[in-house]
Amino acid sequence: MQNARTITGYVKGDRHRAAPSARPFVHVLADCSDKLSRICAVLEQRFAVAGERLDAEAKLSQMPYAIVIRAELRDVDNIAAIKKRSARLAKATKRIFLVEQPSHVCVSQAYALGATLVLPGPLNKIRLLAALAEPAEPAADSASCSTQPDNAVETAATAIASMFTAVTMGEPLDVDGTKDAGRRIADRITEHGLSEWLTTVRRHHEGTYQHCLLVTGVAIDFGLSLGVGRADLERLYSAAMFHDIGKARIPLAILDKPGRLDDAERAMIETHPVAGYDFLKDHEKISPEILDAVRHHHEYLDGSGYPDALAGHSINDIVRILTISDIFAALIEHRHYKPTMPRTEAYNIVCAMTGKLEKALVASFKEVALTR
């Protein structure tokens, strides 16, 4: 084994050289020297960088803007080493995990360890630099951002990661924890509004996790705008949190494919409502209303949806609200391979789905979509 060492200010072994203050400071953690040096080489042109191997003593001397971690997350020693640094990790604005094995288990493990973003697959310079780029912060948000931590986002992302792990590994499902995460999102949106939630989620997450967080936020705000009661709001955010759990059965290569899906891939995607329903149906804490929403959130009033081609009155109110929220969230989510669609354009697409969505609900959704 190579000697454990620290790389600071791009000088190997120089533990005391301070990173230049003119550039954002990024701390890199890796499970071997080769990975460490390759990431530092990518970042050195734009950031002040310090790094260390996970098997070395923690030497983080100043608080970084971001932490980048590249390690095998199926290794218990690596997981333990990351957990030892959890207090420091939690204080970084961005915590980006580079996961070489693009599996649900590894991605879920990264979020459970506190990731704000996971980039699966081989090291991609363009994606990593884009993820680290400073976001443009609206001035109006500066006060709330300085006082409002992202606990709701992190709690919800961890809950979603745990759900996916439960499906993939056959582990027990933490239903109460997932519902609590939904409640935190509801509290966050009640206090700070939907727009703040959408901005925060898109800044820190992408892919399936981002989508689930966006859908939950949109569905909650839609329910609040409609004046639904507390019990119905709980059913709604629980349904939103669980609605895509069946995607844990779908390969990430299909879920995150940048181009159009072929027929076989589309057929695979369309198995996720039934897969989610089958996984949840025997859990005593999952109500029939939530099960119905998980199975039927892709059904349309004209009978053209899946998996059961339901139509009209066969589709209940929670499902109708969730379906609109799901479509809108999918349109406005941020992907590295396409620009984020403006909310006005996304709402116009929802409005154009004549006969598929309840017209009165779509009209009521306008304020949520455009102004809240």
Side-chain angles (χ1 to χ4, degrees):
M1 179 181 289
Q2 302 178 53
N3 292 330
R5 60 189 176 185
T6 298
I7 300 176
T8 305
Y10 313 119
V11 180
K12 296 178 182 179
D14 181 358
R15 296 171 182 257
H16 305 292
R17 180 178 173 183
S21 59
R23 295 181 295 177
F25 172 40
V26 178
H27 193 77
V28 181
L29 296 170
D31 56 5
C32 71
S33 297
D34 180 60
K35 293 178 184 178
L36 189 62
S37 59
R38 288 180 64 194
I39 298 171
C40 288
V42 168
L43 302 180
E44 63 183 1
Q45 297 302 315
R46 299 191 187 182
F47 301 95
V49 178
E52 65 190 35
R53 291 231 317 236
L54 284 170
D55 57 358
E57 182 183 353
K59 292 291 184 181
L60 184 56
S61 59
Q62 60 178 296
M63 188 49 56
Y65 154 69
I67 292 179
V68 176
I69 299 175
R70 190 180 186 199
E72 171 57 72
L73 295 183
R74 293 174 297 184
D75 186 302
V76 293
D77 291 332
N78 287 341
I79 293 172
I82 294 170
K83 286 182 176 179
K84 283 183 179 179
R85 295 164 168 88
S86 59
R88 287 280 188 172
L89 287 173
K91 296 179 181 179
T93 301
K94 294 186 176 184
R95 300 179 295 280
I96 300 174
F97 281 62
L98 308 180
V99 177
E100 296 172 54
Q101 295 294 328
S103 68
H104 289 297
V105 173
C106 291
V107 173
S108 297
Q109 181 65 71
Y111 280 116
L113 289 169
T116 58
L117 178 65
V118 179
L119 300 179
L123 177 62
N124 184 311
K125 176 180 178 179
I126 295 174
R127 290 189 68 190
L128 177 57
L129 291 175
L132 285 168
E134 287 274 12
E137 297 287 353
D141 287 345
S142 59
S144 63
C145 286
S146 64
T147 59
Q148 176 64 30
D150 289 339
N151 289 343
V153 178
E154 295 172 6
T155 299
T158 300
I160 293 167
S162 297
M163 284 194 300
F164 273 61
T165 299
V167 175
T168 306
M169 304 296 290
E171 297 176 353
L173 181 65
D174 183 6
V175 176
D176 291 335
T178 303
K179 290 182 177 180
D180 178 66
R183 179 188 57 75
R184 292 188 184 214
I185 298 174
D187 292 343
R188 171 77 167 262
I189 290 174
T190 300
E191 184 175 356
H192 295 279
L194 177 62
S195 292
E196 188 266 356
W197 177 255
L198 299 180
T199 298
T200 302
V201 169
R202 286 184 297 204
R203 183 185 304 142
H204 294 300
H205 294 278
E206 69 173 47
T208 303
Y209 293 85
Q210 179 193 141
H211 178 69
C212 290
L213 293 170
L214 292 178
V215 172
T216 303
V218 172
I220 286 169
D221 199 61
F222 196 4
L224 291 171
S225 74
L226 293 170
V228 303
R230 184 180 183 86
D232 283 334
L233 186 65
E234 180 178 337
R235 293 187 189 97
L236 185 57
Y237 64 62
S238 298
M241 287 290 288
F242 286 116
H243 83 287
D244 269 350
I245 191 172
K247 285 184 177 177
R249 301 288 193 192
I250 310 297
L252 284 174
I254 295 178
L255 286 179
D256 295 335
K257 183 178 179 180
R260 184 180 294 275
L261 299 176
D262 62 31
D263 290 344
E265 291 167 338
R266 171 55 57 187
M268 173 67 76
I269 286 285
E270 292 185 359
T271 64
H272 81 268
V274 173
Y277 172 86
D278 286 343
F279 179 78
L280 294 172
K281 65 183 180 182
D282 294 326
H283 287 266
E284 60 181 19
K285 294 183 179 180
I286 304 291
S287 69
E289 294 91 346
I290 295 173
L291 287 173
D292 186 42
V294 169
R295 185 179 180 101
H296 296 130
H297 64 277
H298 284 290
E299 303 284 4
Y300 294 135
L301 297 178
D302 63 1
S304 64
Y306 64 90
D308 299 317
L310 299 184
H313 295 297
S314 298
I315 303 173
N316 72 35
D317 290 341
I318 289 180
V319 175
R320 296 180 189 212
I321 293 172
L322 182 59
T323 299
I324 292 172
S325 303
D326 185 32
I327 294 168
F328 182 76
L331 292 170
I332 66 168
E333 66 187 54
H334 171 74
R335 293 293 185 118
H336 68 276
Y337 51 80
K338 72 177 182 68
T340 302
M341 182 181 291
R343 289 166 69 172
T344 301
E345 184 178 343
Y347 180 64
N348 289 338
I349 291 175
V350 172
C351 290
M353 298 180 68
T354 307
K356 296 182 180 295
L357 307 173
E358 184 178 333
K359 186 175 181 180
L361 277 178
V362 171
S364 298
F365 186 63
K366 182 176 183 178
E367 182 182 359
V368 175
L370 304 183
T371 64
R372 291 170 68 94

